[in-house]
Amino acid sequence: MKINLRQTFIGRPGDRDFFVDEFNADTSRLVRPIAHTFDGSYTELLINNWKGNTIRVQSAAIDNDIAVLVTPVVQSNTRYFVELETGIMWNREGNIQRSGQTITAKFKNSEYVIRSTAKNFESYQSYTSPYLTFKGDSALGFYTGTEKSLDEVSSLIENAKSNYYNRSEKFGQLSEEFRCIQTVLGWNTIYDAEKNRAITPVTRSWNEAWQGYVLFEWDTYFASLLFALDNKDLAYSNAIAMTKGMNHEGYVGQWQMPGQVATGISQPPVGSMICWMIYEKYRENWFLEEVYD
């Protein structure tokens, strides 16, 4: 699912912000990231001062379902539609079909029904896959799973938000610092469809230019160590991803991207030290067997 924003009336020619659909590189600073757990169980961001409007977008992941809440915070005279675009990423097999007020996504071993808490407004845009359109003048929720009211979606969001803040309290006076670390790493973590893994590039804005992702050597090891504060799986995943990217000359290259690893250049050997530090926390021998010859 992708949430897009579109003004409801005639725009000015050349206005790049008439339609907002994605942010590979947010050079205009329209988006303010607020929160993102390591595991994606809660996220929050603000669309800041778009045509005078400020819009909060929050999400919660519960088991295999997701709930998204879109809330107007500041409203201007510029009215807009909220459009929910769907599609299947990474050329995967499956089928998506709209039926009335819902969209159903079917895959080999799973099926999801996407619903909303508001009534769809019929619009005719040039999407090549099913979508739903809603007026953006009040809060609305999108979700999978059983039918839910706006209050029920809001309750799921608030519970995930409370868990996000409560979990950081174990770091005491450093709880805010932990939330900052978690949010930055959380927003940068992506799924690598090529190798079926979760990885954390330095910045999302570079990924497309590097054919999907780019991992830099000691940046990724440092990220692994930061993940070890509270997420063993992502600490392991990033450390192993970087180490397994060893080139044919036998050392960890300074960068890796889909199908390629840097040759002729590396960086100081912080990886061996950080992998040992991660092991000292979790004491699982299989991890050492993965990252050490």
Side-chain angles (χ1 to χ4, degrees):
M1 298 189 296
K2 186 168 71 170
I3 296 172
N4 305 327
L5 306 174
R6 187 190 305 272
Q7 294 180 54
T8 62
F9 52 84
I10 298 171
R12 296 179 180 178
D15 181 0
R16 292 179 300 175
D17 291 334
F18 179 82
F19 174 62
V20 177
D21 63 336
E22 60 184 44
F23 301 93
N24 287 329
D26 182 25
T27 56
S28 62
R29 300 184 181 181
L30 194 59
V31 177
R32 180 187 172 196
I34 303 293
H36 198 306
T37 58
F38 282 150
D39 62 3
S41 58
Y42 178 69
T43 74
E44 180 180 350
L45 60 80
L46 283 178
I47 307 294
N48 256 336
N49 193 25
W50 174 61
K51 309 300 180 183
N53 293 290
T54 297
I55 304 150
R56 188 182 309 277
V57 182
Q58 299 164 280
S59 74
I62 309 98
D63 298 325
N64 289 325
D65 288 312
I66 188 170
V68 179
L69 183 65
V70 181
T71 308
V73 178
V74 177
Q75 292 182 293
S76 72
N77 292 328
T78 302
R79 299 306 182 190
Y80 58 91
F81 294 126
V82 178
E83 298 173 348
L84 185 72
E85 180 185 1
T86 63
I88 300 177
M89 299 179 70
W90 308 298
N91 207 28
R92 297 296 202 233
E93 294 184 6
N95 176 268
I96 297 182
Q97 182 175 354
R98 177 195 162 189
S99 178
Q101 299 291 317
T102 65
I103 293 176
T104 300
K106 296 182 179 180
F107 307 96
K108 183 177 181 180
N109 298 314
S110 59
E111 179 176 322
Y112 299 92
V113 178
I114 303 168
R115 297 182 172 92
S116 65
T117 61
K119 187 176 180 180
N120 174 60
F121 176 86
E122 289 295 341
S123 67
Y124 302 93
Q125 307 297 347
S126 57
Y127 294 116
T128 58
S129 57
Y131 65 94
L132 300 172
T133 302
F134 305 89
K135 295 180 179 180
D137 53 3
S138 60
L140 70 143
F142 307 111
Y143 60 92
T144 59
T146 58
E147 291 192 37
K148 299 175 181 65
S149 66
L150 178 60
D151 286 343
E152 289 173 319
V153 170
S154 298
S155 178
L156 291 174
I157 296 293
E158 282 303 310
N159 184 61
K161 182 178 180 179
S162 295
N163 290 340
Y164 166 74
Y165 281 98
N166 291 339
R167 192 172 182 86
S168 68
E169 292 303 315
K170 66 181 180 181
F171 293 95
Q173 293 182 340
L174 295 177
S175 60
E176 184 175 3
E177 286 80 354
F178 169 73
R179 290 196 298 271
C180 291
I181 290 170
Q182 183 177 212
T183 293
V184 170
L185 290 172
W187 281 114
N188 279 339
T189 297
I190 64 172
Y191 172 67
D192 170 25
E194 177 194 27
K195 296 183 178 179
N196 191 31
R197 61 186 181 178
I199 53 176
T200 310
V202 175
T203 171
R204 281 175 175 259
S205 62
W206 289 11
N207 291 339
E208 188 172 349
W210 291 69
Q211 309 304 321
Y213 68 83
V214 57
L215 298 179
F216 291 104
E217 184 182 345
W218 71 353
D219 306 80
T220 303
Y221 285 125
F222 290 142
S224 302
L225 185 60
L226 291 171
F227 275 123
L229 288 169
D230 198 48
N231 192 293
K232 179 173 67 174
D233 291 341
L234 289 172
Y236 283 162
S237 179
N238 279 280
I240 291 171
M242 198 69 238
T243 308
K244 293 296 186 182
M246 189 174 293
N247 61 33
H248 66 275
E249 296 174 3
Y251 60 83
V252 177
Q254 192 258 347
W255 55 260
Q256 62 173 276
M257 58 182 280
Q260 297 185 49
V261 180
T263 59
I265 182 172
S266 189
Q267 284 181 311
V270 300
S272 55
M273 177 181 67
I274 286 176
C275 286
W276 182 253
M277 293 170 72
I278 293 173
Y279 166 75
E280 285 190 315
K281 178 168 184 176
Y282 297 117
R283 295 285 174 175
E284 295 182 350
N285 289 343
W286 73 266
F287 173 63
L288 292 184
E289 294 169 356
E290 286 290 315
V291 295
Y292 285 96
D293 193 336

